[in-house]
Each structure stands twice: as C-alpha cells, then as structure tokens.
Amino acid sequence: MESNTIHKQTIAQQPNFIGLPQAKEHLKIRFDYEDDLIQTLITAAIQATEDYTGLQIFQSTIELGFTVFPIDIKLNYGPVLGDSVSIKYDNISKVETEFVADYKVLKRPNLRPNLIFSSENGFPETDISSTAVRVSYVAGMNLEDLPKPLVIAILLQIADLYLYRTDRSEITNTRAMALMRPYRIWDYE
C-alpha cells in the first residue's frame, strides 16, 4: 500500500561523516579562505551519494501518512536507525493514539527496508481522514555504519567538485560510482 503523504525533515545535528579537516587533507589544502566552499561541497557530495545509492546518509525524520493501517509498508528512505519506528493513529473520536503492535523492520541487502505487521489482533478503527495513520521513523546512518568505500566515493566527488568548478558538470566520477554501486538500492518501484 502506498502512503498518501510523505514528510521528510533532516535532523539539524548530523554525525560528522566527513569533516572539513578530512576533506582539506584529501584536497591537500592548508589555507582557510575556502572553508565555506569546501563545507558546501561536502554536503553536495553526500547528497549526490544519497541520490545515486538510494541510501539515506543524512539522518532525517520521516513521517508517512495513510488512510488505513497498512500490513506491509515499503519505507522510501533507509536504513532505519535503531528502534525509531512510531505508529500513531486518530481513533473514531479523532484522538491521537499510540499503536502498540508487532511491526518488524525487514532489512534486505540492496533493497529498501519494509515495515511488516505481524500480530494476530488486527487493527483498531480509525478516523476517516487522509492521514489517520501516521508512521514515523528516523532514517540515516551513524558514522561507524558508513562503509569505507562510500567515504572514499564522497571524497572523490568533493575533489572533482573542487577541481572542476566550471566544467564537467554533467560528468560523474566513474571511480566514485564504482565504489558506490555495491551499496545501491535497486528496487525503485
């Protein structure tokens, strides 16, 4: 079942996947006057990696809205961090209620995570609004979970963006793509 609404909000404080000192060392830069530019390039390279792989690297709070309780939810953003899944619904009286049930996050390599309902009790009745059921979770990666090939791919993209500021905008670093390819999510249904 597809969600009716998706709301994504990036969490303000992010783990330092690749910091300014690491990027400057990779670029062999010792001066400070382009620090703001390099910081912007770090963000752009991480976002490009997210776009190519389908992984959520920056930690974000995701909220999905449904008219009814879904049995199986394909999560658009992953990986899911910890036990961050929360399910709330508006009951018949339009009162927001926490839904406590057996939902399991199914994690599969190179596929988007699924949230699967596994209880025999059924679902409570909900209000008839378009987002009566809301599923929220935190997606993204912790610093220690970011695979080293993705770190190298991000550093390669930062170098390309820094060195070729005005040309090659349509060319993607093929070495970076080769490093990212094993982590790519392939089910874009």
Side-chain angles (χ1 to χ4, degrees):
M1 167 177 288
E2 294 298 316
S3 63
N4 295 333
T5 62
I6 299 175
H7 176 71
K8 176 181 164 188
Q9 180 176 353
T10 302
I11 297 171
Q13 187 64 32
Q14 294 289 326
N16 194 11
F17 297 112
I18 295 175
L20 187 61
Q22 186 180 6
K24 286 174 71 172
E25 181 181 327
H26 180 74
L27 295 169
K28 308 272 189 264
I29 293 176
R30 296 198 194 316
F31 49 83
D32 296 333
Y33 61 87
E34 290 190 315
D35 285 0
D36 290 341
L37 169 67
I38 296 167
Q39 192 62 54
T40 301
L41 299 179
I42 293 169
T43 301
I46 291 172
Q47 287 174 340
T49 302
E50 286 182 339
D51 291 344
Y52 182 80
T53 62
L55 293 171
Q56 184 67 36
I57 296 174
F58 283 127
Q59 294 179 4
S60 299
T61 301
I62 313 296
E63 185 172 291
L64 308 172
F66 301 90
T67 54
V68 296
F69 276 99
I71 293 173
D72 181 7
I73 306 168
K74 183 171 285 199
L75 302 177
N76 297 340
Y77 302 95
V80 176
L81 285 175
D83 297 328
S84 65
V85 178
S86 166
I87 303 166
K88 295 182 180 179
Y89 68 98
D90 295 335
N91 63 20
I92 298 276
S93 304
K94 298 187 182 202
V95 175
E96 183 176 81
T97 308
E98 183 85 24
F99 183 62
V100 181
D102 295 329
Y103 266 101
K104 293 181 185 173
V105 177
L106 178 62
K107 300 175 184 178
R108 304 158 297 160
N110 296 86
L111 297 172
R112 297 202 183 284
N114 278 42
L115 195 59
I116 300 186
F117 182 70
S118 59
S119 177
E120 308 266 333
N121 297 332
F123 297 109
E125 290 189 55
T126 62
D127 181 41
I128 58 171
S129 70
S130 63
T131 57
V133 179
R134 291 166 306 286
V135 176
S136 63
Y137 65 99
V138 176
M141 294 187 158
N142 291 316
L143 180 59
E144 60 274 1
D145 296 336
L146 191 63
K148 298 299 180 210
L150 289 182
V151 173
I152 299 300
I154 292 167
L155 288 169
L156 288 171
Q157 291 176 82
I158 292 166
D160 266 5
L161 291 168
Y162 183 79
L163 294 172
Y164 305 107
R165 299 179 200 191
T166 57
D167 62 351
R168 290 182 36 140
S169 61
E170 74 285 347
I171 299 173
T172 305
N173 186 315
T174 55
R175 292 171 297 162
M177 287 176 64
L179 289 166
M180 293 185 289
R181 194 169 294 115
Y183 302 96
R184 191 167 191 182
I185 303 295
W186 293 100
D187 65 336
Y188 286 99
E189 302 171 6

